[in-house]
Structure formats: structure tokens, C-alpha cells
Amino acid sequence: MEPLNEKQREEVRGRYPNVYFPDPVLEPIWFGRRPEKQIEGKFAIVDQKSEEETVFGICSDIYQVVHYEDIIQNIENVFKKVQEKHGSVSIDPFVINNGRKMRITATMKEARYEVKKGDYINPTVTLRTSYDLGWKFCSAFGAYRLICSNGARVFKAFDEFAKRHVTSLDPDILVDSVMAGLEKYNLQIDEWKKWTKVKVSEADYMATWQALPFSENEKEKIEKVVEMSSKHSLEDKKWREQ
């Protein structure tokens, strides 16, 4: 993927007016009392947009700045292709700690699957990147499922990758990750539908609890939590074979 020019990045920023986009540059590092000596092969990653010129981190000369705007544009391009077959996608970037990190969630809103009556899931891509070197450029394709009335969710990943921001980085690997994830996702939906018809034997149920690191009091509390799609709790024996 070719880097965007400044006009193109401005267009991306215009589509997400509530997101802060840093302007990172690599600055040489000097040391000494004056200072007058430059550290070879090392650079400071500086946000020249901030008034304080925030330093995100120190990198080597093989580090490549991959702008948040470029990554978002890449994701938008990926899902333009996906939308032709699977419907609209909601792309939501979230910047953390004054731009040091960014997390993007892309949810395929119309590719909604009903595993069983009232139990819906949507394919989702979560992507993380950073300027402070805390996160690799990484992505996971999967699905979130709301399972408990307390808001707990389960995420099942179908394809993942992680790359450093070095000169060999190619953000287009996201395309392959999404396409591979979709194939696995469709297969998994069929498997989940089969699981909804399976009941657990009393022996297997008790053996599972014995293998888990919960006390009897914790077990009782968990058994009372209502599962969202069925509106049953684990203590309801309708879930199990007698």
C-alpha cells in the first residue's frame, strides 16, 4: 500500500472529527553536555502536532511510521470489497493516551447470524497499532457474543496477525486476514448451531466444575447468572441431561 499524501490524510481525519490524529515524525537524538553528539541509528518518535511535541518513544533506523490515517483508509478499502457481499460495516477508531495507541473496531452490521433463536453474533475485526511501540500492528477477525446479563462477552478469533512497524510492513495483509477469517467464520456458524442442540451430561457438568479454579460459593454465584439468549441460568437443569 502506498502511503497517503497530506490531502488524503486530511480527508480521513474529516470522516472522524472526534478522533485525535497525531502527526508523528522521526527526530535525531543528541546527547552530551551541550549536546553535540548524535546517536547513530536511533530516533525519537515525536508528535509535532502537540504543543509539547510529545515524545512517543525511541526507535531504530528500520522503524517505519505508519500513520493512523493510512491504516484507517486501508481498512475502509478492505471493507468496500467485503460490503459487496456482506453488507454495511461500521468502522470505529479509538485513540488512547493522547495518540500513543489506537484501537479500531470494524463490525459487519448486516452479516448478522442467528446461532439459535435470539442469539445473534456479528463478524468483527479488531485492530491495534501504536506510535509508542507498546503495540505491534495487529489484527484479529472474529465474533463477539453477549452471554450474560452482567454484560460479559465472549470473543472467538478466526484469523490473526501481528507485525512490527519496520520497513517490510505491508498493511495490505489485512485483506488476506479478513478473507481467511470469513471462510472460517461461516464454517464455525454451522458448528455453533449444532452445539445449541447438545445437552451436557450430569457427570460432564460436574467434572467441568471440578477442573475450574472456583470455590463452592463462586460456583453458586456463577450458576445463578442468566445467559442472554436462552434466559436460563446454569442451575436450571433443563440445560442438562438427567
Side-chain angles (χ1 to χ4, degrees):
M1 182 187 73
E2 289 293 325
L4 301 182
N5 57 41
E6 183 52 36
K7 181 179 179 181
Q8 291 170 321
R9 289 189 183 124
E10 185 177 350
E11 291 174 354
V12 173
R13 293 192 290 269
R15 292 196 289 275
Y16 304 92
N18 297 323
V19 175
Y20 174 71
F21 289 94
D23 187 9
V25 293
L26 302 184
E27 297 283 358
I29 302 173
W30 304 81
F31 73 101
R33 293 185 176 224
R34 302 272 173 143
E36 56 187 15
K37 298 178 182 179
Q38 182 179 348
I39 302 177
E40 294 185 6
K42 296 292 181 181
F43 295 88
I45 308 168
V46 180
D47 180 11
Q48 62 179 354
K49 185 177 179 180
S50 68
E51 294 182 2
E52 303 82 7
E53 292 192 319
T54 303
V55 177
F56 291 139
I58 306 298
C59 66
S60 71
D61 54 6
I62 65 170
Y63 176 84
Q64 177 188 10
V65 172
V66 180
H67 289 80
Y68 292 166
E69 296 94 326
D70 294 39
I71 293 173
I72 291 174
Q73 177 73 72
N74 185 242
I75 292 172
E76 291 176 342
N77 290 339
V78 169
F79 281 105
K80 281 179 183 177
K81 301 175 184 178
V82 174
Q83 284 180 155
E84 294 176 2
K85 291 185 177 181
H86 299 282
S88 64
V89 177
S90 172
I91 298 174
D92 301 298
F94 180 69
V95 171
I96 302 166
N97 199 4
N98 297 320
R100 287 172 171 80
K101 294 179 173 66
M102 181 177 69
R103 182 180 68 247
I104 305 170
T105 301
T107 305
M108 300 168 65
K109 298 238 174 208
E110 293 183 37
R112 194 183 188 202
Y113 292 84
E114 188 175 30
V115 177
K116 64 179 180 179
K117 187 174 177 63
D119 189 355
Y120 293 96
I121 59 174
N122 295 83
T124 302
V125 173
T126 56
L127 188 144
R128 301 194 310 174
T129 186
S130 68
Y131 291 139
D132 67 1
L133 309 181
W135 288 346
K136 294 180 182 179
F137 175 63
C138 60
S139 173
F141 178 96
Y144 284 101
R145 177 173 172 257
L146 183 65
I147 58 169
C148 292
S149 54
N150 63 7
R153 299 193 299 170
V154 169
F155 180 74
K156 168 67 176 177
F158 299 108
D159 202 80
E160 300 175 284
F161 70 79
K163 298 288 184 181
R164 289 287 184 192
H165 284 204
V166 295
T167 52
S168 62
L169 174 64
D170 180 8
D172 288 331
I173 58 176
L174 180 60
V175 177
D176 295 333
S177 178
V178 171
M179 295 308 177
L182 275 171
E183 290 183 14
K184 297 174 186 176
Y185 182 85
N186 290 330
L187 293 173
Q188 187 64 51
I189 290 295
D190 293 337
E191 188 67 23
W192 280 338
K193 287 181 178 179
K194 294 177 183 177
W195 289 357
T196 64
K197 300 175 182 178
V198 174
K199 288 191 175 183
V200 179
S201 69
E202 187 72 16
D204 287 341
Y205 180 81
M206 297 308 298
T208 300
W209 276 115
Q210 290 173 6
L212 294 172
F214 296 116
S215 67
E216 189 61 31
N217 287 337
E218 290 171 327
K219 173 178 174 291
E220 290 178 4
K221 290 179 181 178
I222 293 171
E223 286 184 316
K224 293 181 184 299
V225 176
V226 176
E227 200 271 345
M228 289 300 295
S229 64
S230 66
K231 306 304 180 185
H232 291 306
S233 64
L234 287 174
E235 65 180 359
D236 185 344
K237 291 188 178 181
K238 291 178 183 178
W239 282 56
R240 309 196 296 273
E241 292 178 345
Q242 302 303 310

